[in-house]
Amino acid sequence: MPEVVVVTGASSGVGRAVVREFARQSPGVRIGLLARNEDGLEGARREVEAAGGEALALPTDVADAGAVEDAARRVEEEFGPVEVWVNNAMASIFAPLREITPQEFRRATEVTYLGSVYGTMAALRRMLPRDRGTIVQVGSALSYRAIPLQAAYCGAKHAERGFTDSVRTELMHEGSNVRITMVQLPALNTPQFGVSRNRMPKHPQPVPPIYQPEVAAEAIYWAAHHNRREVFVGTSSVLTILGNKVAPWFGDRYLARTGYGGQQTDEPADPDRPDNLFEPVAGDHGAHGIFEDQAHARSPQLWATKNRAWLALAGAGLAGAVSAVLLKR
């Protein structure tokens, strides 16, 4: 039977790339597409159908728990039991905390954190009685190491990681076969930096090194089909997470010096451009942003993560061969 999948934030960026990856890798896949931007949803639907799958475009604000539940019900009515649920939707604002209103902070938190909570709840209501299914939380290296100018986003991703760990232990306690995993992403070339609310003097940019969203999509698809507690993507993510564990004080000082400039291009910000914090920005924005020339299309680290069992075997074999040679001598 074709796989049934739900992807939130499916209209653009990582979500759009994830939709394409499932359409490419899973023959005849049926995907429920959740996002606010109807133009982007329609574009994603056409791409799925062109690849031989089926898609249901469901304009949904994931900050509304009732709307998420309704969307989940619609997907199962149309396509059958959901097997994979990907929580990817996000909203953000680039600004120092002192320049963010309580309403803005709450909105970014509701979409990015509570959206994943509501999606998880809707998925579990359906997966637990069947005792099967996988929930993929799309996280970030920033869920371990926060940076300046993104307090709302970093706070939401930290919360999402804590929430996911809690739910995982509940599932383990119950002996459930439902699985929850989290994919921690690096900086990505997505439209986020052109549509998120911005109060910095210059245009926002991801902190290099930058990867294409297809790298993230590859990792998310793989995580949905392999039993891995957590997946780190990109050498920069691994180094950031490990570095924060060893010397968080160094990260504080380094980011205090470089975190502002590193998140801005040389181009002045347009104070009049629309943003998607409260309402979607019209148009189909696709998966990619404006940083094509700087973005890496491959991640050797992700390849190593996916093949770590094989690499461990090869390493053991090599060590054995070296030991044999040394013993002969």
Side-chain angles (χ1 to χ4, degrees), residues 102-325:
Q103 293 78 13
E104 290 170 331
F105 201 100
R106 178 173 179 169
R107 175 62 180 167
T109 303
E110 286 177 339
V111 174
T112 308
Y113 171 51
L114 290 182
S116 69
V117 172
Y118 300 152
T120 301
M121 287 177 169
L124 288 178
R125 286 189 194 103
R126 289 152 178 85
M127 293 177 177
L128 286 173
R130 298 191 286 259
D131 197 29
R132 68 179 189 273
T134 300
I135 300 167
V136 182
Q137 314 284 37
V138 178
S140 166
L142 303 187
S143 71
Y144 283 86
R145 170 68 261 179
I147 62 176
L149 301 172
Q150 292 199 56
Y153 180 80
C154 292
K157 286 301 178 185
H158 273 71
E160 185 180 5
R161 182 165 62 89
F163 164 76
T164 300
D165 289 347
S166 180
V167 173
R168 183 185 296 109
T169 57
E170 292 173 5
L171 294 172
M172 292 171 68
H173 172 78
E174 295 165 8
S176 175
N177 287 312
V178 176
R179 193 169 62 84
I180 189 166
T181 184
M182 194 165 186
V183 180
Q184 310 296 6
L185 299 180
L188 296 161
N189 173 37
T190 69
Q192 168 193 349
F193 301 91
V195 295
S196 293
R197 185 161 293 188
N198 177 45
R199 293 210 175 92
M200 300 187 298
K202 295 182 179 178
H203 192 286
Q205 70 169 11
V207 180
I210 303 168
Y211 294 85
Q212 296 287 22
E214 286 77 14
V215 175
E218 177 188 352
I220 291 162
Y221 180 88
W222 188 85
H225 298 94
H226 292 79
N227 189 19
R228 193 71 67 83
R229 178 183 186 276
E230 196 170 16
V231 177
F232 299 155
V233 182
T235 304
S236 55
S237 294
V238 174
L239 294 177
T240 297
I241 292 167
L242 291 177
N244 192 62
K245 289 182 177 180
V246 174
W249 54 268
F250 177 80
D252 292 342
R253 293 179 183 177
Y254 177 79
L255 288 165
R257 291 197 310 271
T258 67
Y260 278 60
Q263 294 186 74
Q264 299 179 73
T265 69
D266 294 331
E267 298 296 320
D270 177 2
D272 299 319
R273 74 161 171 83
D275 66 68
N276 70 352
L277 186 57
F278 290 96
E279 299 292 336
V281 177
D284 183 358
H285 305 288
H288 286 217
I290 62 173
F291 304 98
E292 294 288 325
D293 294 342
Q294 304 173 50
H296 303 286
R298 298 282 183 274
S299 169
Q301 177 277 332
L302 176 59
W303 180 89
T305 291
K306 292 166 63 177
N307 294 279
R308 69 181 188 182
W310 180 85
L311 289 172
L313 216 76
L318 180 61
V322 170
S323 297
V325 170

